């Protein structure tokens, strides 16, 4: 179809679809008056049964941990996919990064950015670790904390240059973190099978709510996911940066 | 024993993670062996689960969270015969794909195998699960792995847009599924399929139920490549490496239909049962349209992978008609047909891969006569083609016979005509290609294929190989899969077992009792369907028609003028159909929107109570 | 205004799809897909909202306090991860497309002859 025909067809179809969606959506309970029994049940169970005060984390890492397994591996698959898509092709060679060559075309990072970035890296990493570890007590968890940690690595690039980022986070280490996190999560699941009788069953002592070491395997799950997410996002970031800064097409003579 | 089912998902995931984590130190043979071992392990586990299911549905609750007062607290697997058999079939196809990849890729990193293992785990979990959101998570997992795998060979000459169009259209479909699930959660407050079904059963069917059904249906139909959501498939197959095509064709699209059937029977059948007739009309029409479009484009193709892609679409159409009859006997026939045809298609893809491996081409016209010396591959392709043409008494014939009998009982007595035409066209295309490539018959050009996309000659060093024999790691899976597909019709007791499985699949109350209350022994009465002389005649007619079409295409010089007129007509129709395949993501999404809006309108008019 | 969030969610779907259909740049297309996916986040979270209720975090409040639905929040978390990863894959595809063809315009990327 050419662009005009496409637009005309979509105008009709899109309007009809919008009307249909609205017609369906208004069948939902009024905004603010949801009384789903499932959610309320889990709200009531989380603290006494699992000593975890953050119910969303309990849902993700205990009640419905199998969903999180799938989600974790979606991230894994996407990271591996990005890595294989952006790998060095025939006809490309790896050159010196743009920000490292003499007579560089990319402007130097300014002093303000350098200082601010350097000051921010440590707190970012610390907050990231905090969010990962305290997932079962306060809002947060492996996914959220992992992204913050990956941002710490990106800050290194913004503050300094690409080669510094590579030194801080070498590819082998990041890949290993990704694989270890993903495998670790499955091992927790199998641990549940071996030690507690059911796949993903919480098999460590629950302790009391409010303590850092509590809620059984939930903090372990958070750790594994945090490791995997950090590795995954850092890997993807470095792959994309490699594309723009380093990989060059071989010039055709 | 029930503990085995989660292991079937966990083991490939662990192996994939290890392969990536240790990527720098693992040599290629270790990677190949580990993946193959993992796939075989999964197949063994699935076989054990299948034997378990014979005694009643297997329900496995994760984390020890069993239901309280009939309400689910955690996520469950709810495995019946069809789910377990599908998982076993998928695992065996993966074993074949890993064997095939051994030599197909001369150099490949561990990323390919890791992605394939995740793909396998996702499909197994998808077949086993009893929770609607878990179904969506595994759906996305298998989709993301598929996007990455299809785009794997980025150095190929095939257009990259194929992978992009695939990813964009299927992501829109997945988004629709999630919206549908959100609506159901808003109405019922549950995510377990049995529980949602119980809550919806007998309730008033209003806009929310209709729209959630529409959205979920569209999402799965997009994955299954049903017209008009099918455009992505041909593009993706031209760009994906052949082992991946094998899996997409044999397993992925069929899983989309499986999920549609599963969600309909466990979640919606209680509420929408009153509108069964209109649902039948909609799904059967979509199936017939898909089958005919796929079959025509298949016959007009010269790029062998595209030919098989369109054959896949045609068969999806046939499967959908089986499901659309909303009957346990037809369901049984469709399940059997999926397994049998899936094995044959996988075998055909391996053979095409072998041709690609030896001759660096997948173009039917350019390969003319070059494969004369392949003693095993040639006859094997012919055998698969005859199987596809439902030669009695083999697997595909038995599946189609069951569907045709059920169709007759439901008042759709004209359905066998569609089956004959579709199977004759697809099989005819395959036989014509076999004649041209392996024997050298046929002219150098073909007016029907004149407008078709030619396959570029590949000069990819990744695929070049010095020998001129097909490696044993390619012939073995091809032969094994072909034999399996054909033999499914010969196994004693298969017909009764499949009919039993079909009866269990459509029984919503027994499913809910098993999942929510642990009562697993209930077994519905299966109707007895005995394929009669009529089905045998239909099968033989299809084979004769297929051979005739192939002969006409190959030996046109000796044919009368009527054939020329038929060919001009066919070329005209094909030209129109081909023009729609534009490789433009915006076009495809427009079709998707149009299809969704149309379905919503039809369902709104016919299903609301 | 008890259905406003749901109508906004439907509107986002339409806007996102419109963007995809009329896009002249692959990066723009990917972002429009993300916009469309964000409508599912809005839909899910609006469904679970309970008026005058606390977030489902019981660190400082007794566990019997009325709280909003935690399930939809967990579902949204999963959804966000899925959306981000698909976006990353699509962007990687866009990078490779630009490297090979020198353009990101779907109209120009169209093959000259239909691929069937």
């Amino acid at each position: 179809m050419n662009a005009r025909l496409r637009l005309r067809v979509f105008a009709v179809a899109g309007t009809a679809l919008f009307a249909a969606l609205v017609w369906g959506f208004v069948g939902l309970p009024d905004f603010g008056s949801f009384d789903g029994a499932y959610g309320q049940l889990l709200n009531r169970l989380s603290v006494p049964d699992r000593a975890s005060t953050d119910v969303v984390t309990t849902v993700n890492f205990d009640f419905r941990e199998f969903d999180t397994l799938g989600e974790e591996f979606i991230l894994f698959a996407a990271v591996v996919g990005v890595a294989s898509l952006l790998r060095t092709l025939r006809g490309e060679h790896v050159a010196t990064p743009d920000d490292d060559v003499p007579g560089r075309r990319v402007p130097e990072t300014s002093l303000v950015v350098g200082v601010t970035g350097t000051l921010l890296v440590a707190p970012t990493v610390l907050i990231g670790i905090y969010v990962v570890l305290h997932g079962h007590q306060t809002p947060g968890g492996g996914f959220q904390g992992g992204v913050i940690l990956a941002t710490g690595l990106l800050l290194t690039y913004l503050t300094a240059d690409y080669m510094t980022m590579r030194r801080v986070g070498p590819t082998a280490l990041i890949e290993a973190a990704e694989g270890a996190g993903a495998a670790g999560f499955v091992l927790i699941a199998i641990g549940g099978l071996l030690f507690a009788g059911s796949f993903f069953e919480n098999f460590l002592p629950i302790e009391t709510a409010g303590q850092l070491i509590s809620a059984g395997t939930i903090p372990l799950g958070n750790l594994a996911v945090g490791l995997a997410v950090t590795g995954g996002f850092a890997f993807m970031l470095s792959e994309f940066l490699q594309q723009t800064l380093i990989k060059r097409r071989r010039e055709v003579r | 024993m029930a503990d085995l089912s989660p292991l079937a998902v966990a083991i490939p995931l662990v192996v994939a993670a290890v392969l990536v984590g240790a990527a720098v130190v693992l040599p290629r043979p270790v990677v190949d062996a580990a993946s193959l071992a993992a796939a075989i392990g999964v197949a063994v586990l699935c076989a054990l689960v299948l034997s378990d299911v014979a005694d009643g549905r297997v329900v496995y609750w994760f984390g020890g969270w069993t239901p309280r007062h009939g309400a689910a607290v955690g996520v469950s697997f709810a495995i019946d015969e069809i789910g377990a058999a599908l998982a076993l079939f998928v695992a065996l196809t993966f074993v074949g794909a890993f064997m095939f990849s051994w030599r197909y890729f001369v150099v490949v990193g561990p990323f390919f195998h890791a992605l394939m293992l995740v793909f396998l785990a996702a499909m197994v979990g998808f077949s086993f699960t009893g929770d609607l959101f878990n179904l969506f998570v595994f759906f996305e997992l298998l989709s993301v792995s598929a996007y990455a795998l299809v785009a794997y060979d980025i150095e190929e000459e095939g257009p990259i847009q194929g992978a992009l169009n695939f990813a964009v259209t299927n992501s829109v479909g997945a988004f629709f599924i999630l919206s549908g699930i959100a609506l159901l959660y808003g109405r019922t407050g549950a995510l377990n399929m049995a529980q949602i079904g119980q809550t919806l059963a007998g309730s008033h069917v209003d806009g929310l139920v209709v729209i959630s059904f529409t959205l979920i249906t569209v999402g799965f139909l997009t994955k299954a490549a049903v017209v008009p959501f099918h455009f992505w498939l041909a593009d993706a197959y031209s760009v994906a490496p052949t082992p991946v095509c094998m899996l997409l064709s044999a397993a992925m699209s069929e899983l989309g239909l499986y999920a549609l059937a599963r969600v309909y029977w466990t979640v919606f059948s209680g509420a929408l049962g009153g509108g069964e007739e209109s649902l039948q009309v909609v799904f059967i029409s979509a199936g017939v349209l898909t089958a005919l479009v796929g079959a025509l484009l298949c016959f007009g193709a010269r790029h062998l992978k595209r030919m098989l892609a369109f054959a896949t679409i045609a068969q999806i159409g046939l499967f959908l008609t089986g499901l659309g009859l909303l009957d346990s006997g037809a369901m049984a026939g469709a399940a059997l047909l999926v397994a049998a045809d899936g094995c044959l298609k996988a075998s055909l893809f391996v053979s095409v891969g072998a041709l690609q491996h030896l001759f660096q081409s997948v173009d039917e016209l350019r390969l003319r006569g070059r494969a004369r010396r392949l003693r095993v591959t040639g006859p094997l392709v012919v055998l698969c083609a005859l199987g596809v043409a439902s030669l009695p008494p083999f697997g595909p014939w038995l599946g189609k016979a069951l569907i045709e009998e059920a169709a007759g009982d439901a008042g759709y007595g004209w359905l066998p005509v569609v089956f004959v035409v579709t199977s004759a066209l697809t099989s005819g295309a395959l036989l014509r290609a076999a004649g041209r490539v392996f024997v050298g018959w046929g002219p150098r050009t073909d007016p029907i294929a004149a407008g078709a996309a030619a396959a570029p000659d590949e000069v990819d060093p990744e695929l070049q190989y010095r020998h001129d024999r097909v490696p044993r790691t390619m012939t073995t899976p091809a032969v094994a899969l072909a034999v399996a597909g054909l033999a499914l019709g010969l196994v004693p007791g298969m017909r009764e077992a499949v009919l039993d499985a079909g009866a269990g699949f459509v029984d919503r109350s027994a499913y809910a009792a098993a999942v929510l209350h642990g009562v697993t022994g209930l077994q519905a009465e299966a109707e007895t369907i005995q394929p009669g002389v009529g089905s045998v005649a239909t099968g033989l007619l299809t084979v004769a028609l297929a051979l005739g079409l192939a002969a006409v295409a190959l030996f046109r010089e000796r044919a009368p003028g009527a054939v020329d007129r038929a060919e001009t007509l066919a070329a005209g129709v094909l030209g129109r159909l081909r023009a729609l395949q534009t490789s433009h993501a915006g076009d495809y999404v427009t079709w998707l929107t149009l299809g969704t809006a149309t379905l919503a309108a039809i369902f709104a008019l016919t299903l609301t109570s | 205004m008890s259905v406003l969030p749901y109508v906004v969610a439907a509107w986002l779907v339409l806007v996102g799809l419109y963007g995809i259909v009329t896009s002249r740049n692959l990066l723009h297309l990917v972002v429009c897909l993300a916009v469309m996916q964000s409508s599912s986040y809005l839909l899910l979270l609006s469904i679970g909202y309970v008026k005058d209720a606390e977030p489902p975090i019981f660190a400082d409040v007794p566990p019997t306090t009325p709280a909003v639905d935690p399930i939809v929040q967990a579902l949204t978390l999963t959804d966000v991860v899925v959306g981000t990863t698909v976006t990353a894959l699509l962007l990687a595809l866009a990078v490779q497309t630009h490297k090979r063809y020198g353009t990101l315009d779907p109209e120009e990327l169209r093959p000259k002859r239909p691929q069937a």
Side-chain angles (χ1 to χ4, degrees), chain B residues 147-518:
Chain B
Y147 306 156
L149 283 168
V150 163
Y152 192 79
D153 248 350
I154 35 174
E155 290 158 319
E156 278 267 298
E157 281 305 310
I160 292 181
Q161 299 90 291
L164 202 105
N165 295 339
F166 173 38
V168 170
T169 35
N170 280 46
S171 294
V172 176
F175 159 78
F176 281 172
I177 294 177
L178 182 61
S179 303
I181 295 178
L183 286 175
L184 286 176
Y185 181 72
R187 171 59 56 89
T188 62
L191 290 173
N192 184 284
M193 288 200 271
Q195 197 181 338
I196 300 178
Q198 292 288 75
T199 316
L200 282 181
S203 74
H204 168 60
V205 176
D206 66 342
L208 184 142
V209 178
V210 168
I211 293 300
S212 75
F213 180 64
T214 312
L215 290 172
I216 293 179
T217 302
V218 167
F220 287 131
L221 288 182
T222 308
K223 176 66 70 190
V226 170
V227 170
F229 312 109
H230 69 289
F231 292 101
W232 60 266
L233 194 147
D235 289 348
Y237 276 52
S238 339
V239 90
T242 312
V244 175
C245 287
M246 201 173 136
L247 293 167
L248 293 184
S249 158
M252 193 181 77
S253 294
E254 287 77 356
L255 281 178
L257 287 183
Y258 160 79
L260 179 61
R262 174 71 77 196
V263 171
Y264 172 74
W265 283 109
T266 55
V267 176
F268 288 104
S269 59
L272 297 178
E276 224 180 58
E277 277 198 20
S278 46
L279 282 175
Q280 278 179 335
V281 170
V282 169
F283 285 130
I284 293 181
S285 318
V288 168
L289 184 61
T290 309
L292 292 175
V293 166
L296 281 172
L297 285 170
C298 176
F299 199 76
R302 55 186 274 196
H303 183 315
L304 292 175
K305 278 163 72 170
R306 278 186 182 262
M307 186 188 291
L308 287 175
F310 289 124
T312 306
I313 296 181
Q315 286 174 342
I316 291 283
L318 296 181
F319 303 153
L320 186 57
T321 54
L323 297 182
L325 284 165
L326 298 181
D327 166 87
S328 75
M331 186 71 220
L336 185 58
L337 193 57
V338 163
D341 265 341
C343 287
L344 294 180
K345 273 184 308 206
S347 172
L348 285 168
F349 265 111
V350 176
S351 303
V352 168
L355 289 174
Q356 199 177 11
H357 189 77
L358 292 182
F359 306 112
Q360 275 82 56
S361 175
V362 285
D363 189 291
E364 180 190 338
L365 295 175
R366 290 201 198 129
L367 280 172
R368 181 172 169 270
R370 286 168 70 180
R372 257 180 266 251
R373 53 192 158 84
L374 298 183
R375 295 291 153 82
V376 178
T377 314
L380 195 63
V381 170
V382 171
L383 203 58
C384 288
L386 290 175
V388 168
S390 41
L391 180 68
F394 297 114
W397 169 80
L398 182 57
K400 282 183 198 147
L402 291 175
I403 299 179
E404 284 163 8
E405 297 283 334
D409 292 337
Y412 285 92
W414 50 266
L415 212 50
V417 174
V418 175
F419 275 67
V420 168
V421 170
T422 309
S423 307
L425 279 170
T426 46
S427 176
L430 292 168
L431 288 169
R432 178 196 78 209
R436 198 171 257 138
V437 170
F438 294 105
V439 188
W441 286 333
R444 276 182 209 286
T445 60
D446 192 326
I448 288 191
D457 274 340
E458 300 147 23
V459 201
D460 191 345
E462 243 182 52
L463 299 180
Q464 262 171 5
Y465 199 80
R466 298 287 172 236
H467 297 177
D468 55 10
R469 271 186 53 226
V470 181
R472 194 120 13 109
T473 51
M474 289 195 192
T475 45
T476 318
V479 169
L481 285 165
V483 167
L486 296 171
L488 276 175
L490 303 172
V491 173
M494 174 63 73
R495 190 175 49 85
E496 290 86 5
V498 146
L499 284 171
D500 272 340
F505 193 85
V506 305
D507 191 341
R508 191 186 60 80
S509 9
Y511 180 88
V515 170
L516 299 175
H517 304 287

